[in-house]
Amino acid sequence: SSSSSSSSSLDKVQMRDAFMDVLKSNGLEGGVNEKVTNDLLQIVQQSMDQMEHQQQQKEKTQLRIFGKGHKKRLSEQWGIEHTYSVPLMEKIAANGDSGTPFILEYPESEQASIYKELASSVVREVAKIQYSQANNRPTVHYDEGVNMLKFSFGSGGQNKDTAGAVEKEDISEETVVSLDSIPSAELRRECKCAACVEELTGRQILKPEDIPDSVKPMKMSPTGNYALSVDWSDGHKSLYPYKQIRALLEERGVPSKKEEEAVAC
């Protein structure tokens, strides 16, 4: 960095002397010579800055290797709230191999700001999980009597794991199914995995009529704090973000948390 800065200063000095000599040989001396030289140097500097900016813009041209809009589709498909486009740079890889993180060597770079924002999001999400009850995963029960999954969002037992065998409730046929339930077949048909939905286009591959109403969950387990993993009786495995489950419940007439609070008031 220092050598490049020195050579840049040296070029300016040499250019200044050259301008002065040419102007002097053409009869311009004193203050006029000085002013014209400064004006010429400024024009050259501006031209060089413009060329450098154009080169930087050219190098920053984005190549969307997964296609335009892919990040948004993945966010909607898996309920991911925070997404980032991290540039593929040889220098970042080299810094990682050498033991000096890119963000430490170039703290003011555009790439470093992306990593800082990503790290801040991780800290915020961890804080939410620790201190906010609203972000805890729901309890999930399988009602075998009516072949439905029952979801409970709220303070009551939301920290209980659903890992392992399916939790079942034997309920008589006269029992009224609450609005926090989703038929097993309906949830199975809402799977957004790569086998059911084309990732690049979002086109539905799974045909709803191919899923029998008798399909049921064989195993359910939480995936982190953001999704529910379900192994189905037809051999398929699905991953449902809680954000997607909430949306499905609202479509079925379950009031959202904001609506419940409004009614309570």
Side-chain angles (χ1 to χ4, degrees), residues 19 37 57 64 78 91 114-115 127 134 154 174 182 198 201 219 235 251 255 260 264:
F19 282 157
T37 296
Q57 291 299 113
R64 302 181 186 276
W78 299 114
K91 182 61 177 172
I114 295 176
Y115 284 107
E174 290 79 16
I182 300 178
E198 195 173 77
T201 64
K219 180 181 178 181
E251 288 178 8
E260 289 177 347

Side-chain angles (χ1 to χ4, degrees), residues 19-246:
F19 282 157
M20 293 284 284
D21 290 341
V22 172
L23 292 173
K24 188 175 181 180
S25 66
N26 283 275
L28 290 178
E29 295 183 1
V32 176
N33 192 333
E34 184 79 18
K35 182 178 183 307
V36 173
T37 296
N38 289 336
D39 290 343
L40 289 173
L41 283 173
Q42 185 175 1
I43 292 173
V44 172
Q45 185 64 54
Q46 289 176 346
S47 178
M48 291 175 63
D49 290 343
Q50 185 176 2
M51 290 175 62
E52 183 179 358
H53 176 71
Q54 291 174 344
Q55 180 63 26
Q56 289 177 348
Q57 291 299 113
K58 183 178 179 181
E59 293 175 353
K60 287 167 61 176
T61 300
Q62 293 185 351
L63 175 63
R64 302 181 186 276
I65 58 178
F66 297 108
K68 187 176 181 181
H70 184 66
K71 182 174 71 171
K72 181 181 178 182
R73 284 193 295 272
L74 287 181
S75 175
E76 294 175 348
Q77 180 175 340
W78 299 114
I80 303 172
E81 295 185 8
H82 306 285
T83 58
Y84 301 91
S85 296
V86 180
L88 299 175
M89 294 176 58
E90 184 177 351
K91 182 61 177 172
I92 292 179
N95 275 58
D97 293 337
S98 67
T100 304
F102 181 90
I103 190 173
L104 294 183
E105 187 170 348
Y106 304 97
E108 303 302 323
S109 66
E110 180 182 353
Q111 294 77 21
S113 65
I114 295 176
Y115 284 107
K116 290 176 182 177
E117 187 178 350
L118 192 157
S120 297
S121 293
V122 171
V123 172
R124 288 194 298 269
E125 289 304 311
V126 170
K128 283 182 183 180
I129 293 171
Q130 289 180 329
Y131 303 110
S132 175
Q133 295 294 319
N135 286 277
N136 288 329
R137 58 177 179 257
T139 54
V140 186
H141 298 277
Y142 173 52
D143 184 342
E144 191 173 23
V146 288
N147 194 18
M148 298 184 102
L149 278 77
K150 297 181 65 177
F151 297 90
S152 175
F153 292 88
S155 59
Q158 69 266 27
N159 289 317
K160 188 191 298 181
D161 270 352
T162 58
V166 173
E167 295 184 28
K168 300 180 180 179
E169 292 184 355
D170 294 321
I171 302 177
S172 64
E173 294 181 0
E174 290 79 16
T175 302
V176 177
V177 179
S178 63
L179 288 176
D180 60 351
S181 302
I182 300 178
S184 298
E186 182 178 326
L187 188 63
R188 169 66 182 88
R189 292 167 185 143
E190 290 293 335
C191 181
K192 304 296 184 185
C193 75
C196 297
V197 175
E198 195 173 77
E199 287 190 17
L200 293 180
T201 64
R203 181 179 65 85
Q204 184 79 21
I205 299 174
L206 174 69
K207 295 180 180 179
E209 59 270 21
D210 290 341
I211 303 301
D213 291 337
S214 60
V215 70
K216 61 182 181 180
M218 304 303 292
K219 180 181 178 181
M220 297 186 295
S221 58
T223 298
N225 284 279
Y226 82 98
L228 174 70
S229 175
V230 181
D231 291 359
W232 296 102
S233 57
D234 63 357
H236 192 76
K237 293 186 177 183
S238 301
L239 188 68
Y240 299 97
Y242 295 133
K243 183 177 180 180
Q244 178 188 4
I245 293 173
R246 287 177 186 271

